[in-house]
Every structure is written in structure tokens, then in C-alpha cells.
Amino acid sequence: MAVTFALPASAKDRRVEVINNTGYTIVEFYGSNTGTTNWEEDILGVDVLPPGDSVLIDFNDGSDYCMFDMKIVFEDGDVLVEEGLDTCTTESFTLE
């Protein structure tokens, strides 16, 4: 899978559009700032992100961090971890 980042977003705006251009539904999505060793709760909750859809995620966790790591779980059980997304300057994150 490939990941594409679009730049820029306004400074300190940690909202990032996550676009699923894979052929698989995303069933879990975690985002944690790079200053922690634990994954936070599943951002999607009971929702899923089907192929071709997108969701706007606010990564502002009150820590003032811009750098976040993501853990993405697909419907087939595959897991993708992406590290170092700068949520202060990235407007969209595309999974292909």
C-alpha cells in the first residue's frame, strides 16, 4: 500500500482528512502522538471507513504535539502502522 500526504494545512490545525483508496474497509484507526508509547482509543469507534470514502480526524489531543503515529486495521486483519505524520502541516492522508 502507498501513502500520500497533501500539504499544507494551517499551523496548529490538527484536522487531517484520511482517504481510503485501498480495496479494503478500514475497521479500526488509532492515532497517538509520537511522545507516547500507547495507542489511544479507536477513532472510528463503531464506524468503518469503506474504500473510496474519507473521514476528517482531529488529532488535537491537548498535548500540543504535531507529530502522530497511526495504526490502521483493515477488514481482512492486516495492520498498517505509519509513523511521523505532521498533523500541523498535513491536510490529507491517502492510503492507496
Side-chain angles (χ1 to χ4, degrees):
M1 290 183 203
V3 177
T4 306
F5 300 100
L7 300 172
S10 60
K12 298 295 181 178
D13 180 356
R14 292 178 184 84
R15 292 175 295 169
V16 177
E17 181 182 22
V18 176
I19 304 164
N20 182 5
N21 280 346
T22 70
Y24 300 95
T25 297
I26 296 172
V27 296
E28 296 175 29
F29 188 97
Y30 303 89
S32 295
N33 73 59
T34 56
T36 185
T37 57
N38 297 320
W39 293 109
E40 302 297 329
E41 72 275 354
D42 175 14
I43 293 169
L44 294 177
V46 297
D47 295 325
V48 297
L49 186 58
D53 281 0
S54 66
V55 63
L56 187 63
I57 295 176
D58 187 353
F59 285 91
N60 188 357
D61 66 354
S63 68
D64 220 18
Y65 273 67
C66 289
M67 301 304 289
F68 278 76
D69 299 333
M70 291 155 294
K71 177 181 172 183
I72 300 133
V73 181
F74 294 93
E75 65 186 335
D76 65 356
D78 282 349
V79 176
L80 174 66
V81 175
E82 290 290 328
E83 298 177 337
L85 174 68
D86 186 342
T87 61
C88 291
T89 62
T90 301
E91 187 174 281
S92 65
F93 172 79
T94 302
L95 294 155
E96 298 179 316

